[in-house]
Amino acid sequence: MSDTKNNFLLKHFTAKEIKPRGWLLRQLRIQAEGLDGNLDKIWPDVKDSKWIGGDREGWERVPYWLDGFIPLAYLLDDEDMKSRARKYIDAILLRQKEDGWICPCEDEERIGYDVWAVFLICKVLVVYYECTCDERVEPAVRAALFNLNEWLRRHTLFNWGAARWFECMIPIGWLYDRRPEEWMLELSHSLVVQGMNYKLLADNFSDIEFNRDWKFTTHVVNLAMALKAYAVADRFAKTGNDDFAEEFLALLQKYHGTAFGLFTGDECLAGTSPTQGTELCAIVEAMYSFEILFEKTGKQIWLDRLEKLAFNALPATISEDMWTHQYDQQVNQISCAIQDRERLPIYSTNNHEANLFGLEPNFGCCTANMGQGFPKFALSAFYKGEDSIYVGAIAPVGLKTLIDGVAVEIECKTDYPFEDTVRYIVRCEKPVEFSLFLRVPGTASSALIDGKAAAVGGFTGLRRVWSSDTVEMTLQMEASLKKRPNGLFTAERGNLLFSLPVSFETVKHEYTKDGVERRFPYCDYELLPVSGWNYGFASGQLKCEKRPVSESPFSITEPAVVLNAEMSEVQWELRKDYPGVCKEFPEQDGTVGKPESKRLFPYGCTKLRMTEMPLVGEEKP
Ligand SMILES: [Zn+2]
């Protein structure tokens, strides 16, 4: 066992210190009033879970839900939500066994119980501690992890526990910082050596042909989580290669990359076609991985990647009222309809309903897990360094903290990514010296900080004695076409991806299956196209137009930014046997129409859309 090194470069703030404002506050309120804020009232697997003494799912669903619901309650300072979170935590702690075992199963079932849920609930208890400083948490986490170490002396990790071993390093690291004990090193060692070796997987990675095999090693959520594996494990083990995350992500994107900066997986890796899907759990888990990777490495690029998912893939795959969501989203998604049950679905292993908007289309993991996306994104707006504050993701958020014992407030005032100006308002109880590191996204073409040119894709440190100051950053962002595979292009501006929205009509489905009721507003919806989708860019000229951000930040009717483009109809066929899916790319030279003016919406403001399209005009970028 190596010496434990404390590799903290930066430290995240908690929901007690960070308060959302502006569009992000409105988005979190929509979430609280939608499915995630009401899951304990309507969804049996949370409402009547074994975790709280009921008879429904007693494994990952309650911990998944609490992982987002707890920070949401504290970010919004919502007393009702806080007390509902506490009821769950009380019930879970009350049921913890004398020997530390914390999951809801009979003693004789422990041997076959997949301990992935132990990792997850310990991680959630740490999240709860960060919000509450509840003194019951530390002994409960210690007992649960001590018991897990005993379990691992007699048994071996399997299935999800083996695939997601590194998630347990997060609560172990937290506990080790507070009260280091020798057995924690033994536990970390067991996890590293018994868990899946993603470095070997990366070293032996090859282009996997599209197939319908379901494997832990190509499972999209495992891979999204595993990007942070060695960043959280290297503190306790010799894991080598510090660039694992960067190199593995590059490999995954080369063979399976999507325009929104992740990879396909429906639910295993499925190639680069824009009509394959990506599971919602993979979006929120990749966001969390990117947040951890920034915290551990201080590399700006992880925040660009985080923003790209938070502004595009996350809002796109959840309905505007946040009552329904998809299992799989497609980049070119011309229909969300139940696929022909006589044939295999378009997805590698997901079912015929995987891209419907609903309560639990395909499977209920995302129903429970999606809630962590926006709250953890809000928490990534600032990070604490030594004698310094770093801006993380750029979003309207207020921070209250102490520097050298002096109360300091920093407010980020902006409608970014929908506008280009960001103001930081600093107020200190009394003058205090520290550095404020402002971040310029790597996708800006240039930037000014208080009128002076600042480096793009990095941080500009402002060291001064702060008292009451405002710093203004102005970003220059050019809208342009970016290359994708198979001669297709996407329109992008900064960290926003744009799509041609396809108008649709909805078909509502209310029904009950396996004791789970789908009823408005948490019923299933098919979205059927009623406008054309077969277009190509007639030129690379894109004109940006802005308006105030509406009450609903990712409004599908009133987006705050649009790109005006000239587009021509092209000959683009449907995939044989799949009436709701377009072919991966159109016929060569198949322009059939004259250029028309079209408005491209932010990807996150679309439900049916075309995003990757050919350039059919003269000029190629
Ligand atoms: Zn899922």
Side-chain angles (χ1 to χ4, degrees), residues 1 46 156 185 221 261 313 353 365 372 427 448 478 491 523 548 568:
M1 178 60 59
V46 166
T156 310
L185 305 183
V221 186
E353 302 179 3
C365 51
Q372 67 168 306
R427 287 180 222 96
L448 296 174
E478 314 297 338
C523 51
S568 300

Side-chain angles (χ1 to χ4, degrees), residues 64 221 267 279-282 327 363-367 369:
Y64 262 160
V221 186
E267 67 194 37
E279 185 191 338
L280 172 49
C281 277
Y327 196 83
F363 192 67
C365 51
C366 311
T367 310
N369 195 15

Side-chain angles (χ1 to χ4, degrees), residues 163 165-166 196-202 222-223 226 230 244 248:
W165 56 271
F166 46 85
M196 220 163 91
N197 187 334
Y198 287 91
K199 287 193 169 173
L200 272 179
L201 181 65
N222 288 349
L223 298 171
Y230 300 98
F244 165 78
F248 196 36

Side-chain angles (χ1 to χ4, degrees), residues 301-369:
I301 184 74
W302 293 114
L303 296 170
D304 272 332
R305 291 173 176 143
L306 168 64
E307 287 187 358
K308 201 145 184 197
L309 292 180
F311 301 152
N312 301 290
L314 180 63
T317 199
I318 303 175
S319 62
E320 200 179 313
D321 62 7
M322 292 195 81
W323 271 103
T324 63
H325 67 277
Q326 297 174 292
Y327 196 83
D328 288 328
Q329 68 179 296
Q330 296 148 296
V331 166
N332 284 352
Q333 180 171 275
I334 60 166
S335 165
C336 296
I338 300 168
Q339 293 180 18
D340 184 352
R341 291 192 195 280
E342 299 301 308
R343 303 180 190 284
L344 287 170
I346 187 81
Y347 315 109
S348 65
T349 57
N350 290 156
N351 74 18
H352 297 79
E353 302 179 3
N355 82 344
L356 259 54
F357 283 82
L359 175 67
E360 48 171 302
N362 189 64
F363 192 67
C365 51
C366 311
T367 310
N369 195 15

